[in-house]
Every structure is written in C-alpha cells, then in structure tokens.
Amino acid sequence: MPQDPMDFEWSYWIEWGRERILWLLAGHLLVSQVSRLLVEKYKPWCLMVYGMAACWLLLGIKGFAVILLHATISFAVAQFQLSLLTWLCSLLLLSILRIPAVEEAKRKWYDSENEYYLLLFTVSVRCLFCTSFSLEYCWHGSAQKSSHSFLWMLAYVFYYPMFHNGPLMNFDEFSKQMRRQEAFSLKTNFGILIVGIIRIFFWWCLAELMIHLMYIHALYNSTPPLEAASYWALG
C-alpha cells in the first residue's frame, strides 16, 4: 500500500536521519562510552564538545553561532534571578525567528529549504532547554553556582541525542544523570543498547504502518472527504 505523501515532517526527519543524524548519534554513543571508560570525570565536557562539533557540521558556523548566542543571552538574563524576565527573554528570542527579514537572511545561509527548517526546528527546541536551565538558575542558582555554571548550560544545550527534536529533559535531571558514576559493565550496557534499539525499531515500524494505512495528513489537505463525512466519523 502506498505511503501518505502529505506527511512532510515524517519524510523530512527520515531523510535527515538517513543522511546525517543517525551517524552523528552513533558517534555520540562512541564518544560517551570512550569518555566513560577513560576520563569519566570529564564526560560531560567531552559530550559538550562533540555536540558543538555536530551542530557546526549540520548547521554551519552561522547556525552554531545563533544557538550559542541564544544560550549566552538566556544565561545573562538568568543572572537577575527573575522568572518573569526569563520567560519574557525566551518569548522574545522565539518571536525574533518569525520576523520576515530575519527569516530571509537565515534562508540565504543555506542551499536548500530543508537545511533552513533544520535550523528553525533546532533553535526552537534549544530555546526550551535554555528556558529550563534559566528557570532553575533563578530558583536555586545562588546556592548551587558551581552546578549551574555557563559551562554546564552549554553541556545541557548541546547534548546531542536531544538536540534537534527533544525530548525535553529539565536541567536538574540532566545534571543528576551526568554526575552519576556507575561501574562499567559490558553486559549491562550491551543489554540496554539492544533494548533501546528494539524500542526504536518498534515505534518506527508502528509510525510507518500508520502512514501507509491511515491517510491522516492527506485527509487534512482534502476538503471533500471531510465535508462528506458525518460528525461521528470525523470524531
């Protein structure tokens, strides 16, 4: 059965995944395990550097600079330790993305619309991470300045597995997991990896099945079938 051709977002991420993102995630896994074995104390900074390099590779130096600038502005505003100010800053940074002149300028950085959309998706999600860090800095930054430093913010913002499309993890949870030191067990780690791959494969197959059997996006873009259907069918 043919695939629903109107699901832009699924096709978009599948294309990026096959070309670059899947390989960059594999690279992150390798760096994570090597740094855990050799320099566990510096693991967050190794992953931060890797995330920055991956961002530079995919989005170019200008895209990387935009995300770094957003993080810097958010951190500077967080120094006032006012939650309202943090929210206003985040909303302002997001609203700037929709200014026509800014959109046009950013489009010129790339050769294709897909590259521009990748920047747009990534910056929007990074803004959520900046907001999470800044709010938690406002709540208890003074008491825990060492764990809420700008370096920790960069490690959080540039953590690659959640870089382009989430999911969102608050900074405190991220920090706890990064600081937790566990005994290395090849058997345990391999088991976790296999279970993770099986989960991803299952949900990927389910999503593909839905796209081939349930033409949801095609229906959204076709008015006559929607008008002909009863309210019960639409519900």
Side-chain angles (χ1 to χ4, degrees), residues 86-129:
T86 289
W87 280 114
L88 290 174
C89 173
S90 298
L91 290 172
L92 179 62
L93 290 174
L94 279 175
S95 65
I96 289 173
L97 296 176
R98 303 303 300 168
I99 297 174
V102 175
E103 285 185 312
E104 193 60 33
K106 288 179 180 176
R107 275 191 168 92
K108 290 177 181 177
W109 296 350
Y110 303 106
D111 298 325
S112 68
E113 281 286 293
N114 276 2
E115 290 174 296
Y116 166 71
Y117 282 127
L118 184 66
L119 173 69
L120 201 62
F121 276 125
T122 306
V123 172
S124 300
V125 175
R126 290 307 92 203
C127 194
L128 291 175
F129 280 72

Side-chain angles (χ1 to χ4, degrees), residues 3 32 44 51 58 64 129 135 152 171 185 187-188 195 205 210:
Q3 178 181 324
S32 177
L58 277 179
F64 170 77
F129 280 72
L135 286 173
W152 267 107
F171 175 73
S185 169
K187 184 179 179 180
T188 303
V195 171
C205 288
M210 290 175 67

Side-chain angles (χ1 to χ4, degrees), residues 163-174:
F163 192 67
H164 298 291
N165 214 12
L168 181 65
M169 175 190 287
N170 64 47
F171 175 73
D172 275 359
E173 183 61 31
F174 171 82

Side-chain angles (χ1 to χ4, degrees), residues 16 18 56 68 71 93 96 101 104 116 121 126 142 148 152 160 165 168 171 176 181 203 207-208 222 228 233:
W16 271 111
R18 286 171 180 164
W56 194 317
L68 188 60
L93 290 174
I96 289 173
E104 193 60 33
Y116 166 71
F121 276 125
R126 290 307 92 203
S142 296
H148 288 75
W152 267 107
Y160 194 71
N165 214 12
L168 181 65
F171 175 73
K176 285 175 188 175
Q181 294 188 357
W203 289 113
E208 281 285 345
S222 182

Side-chain angles (χ1 to χ4, degrees), residues 25-26 28-30 33 36 185-201:
L25 287 171
H28 169 90
L29 180 63
L30 179 63
Q33 294 306 312
R36 185 179 182 180
S185 169
L186 183 61
K187 184 179 179 180
T188 303
N189 283 18
F190 185 72
I192 293 171
L193 177 63
I194 294 299
V195 171
I197 291 172
I198 291 171
R199 285 178 61 194
I200 292 169
F201 184 72

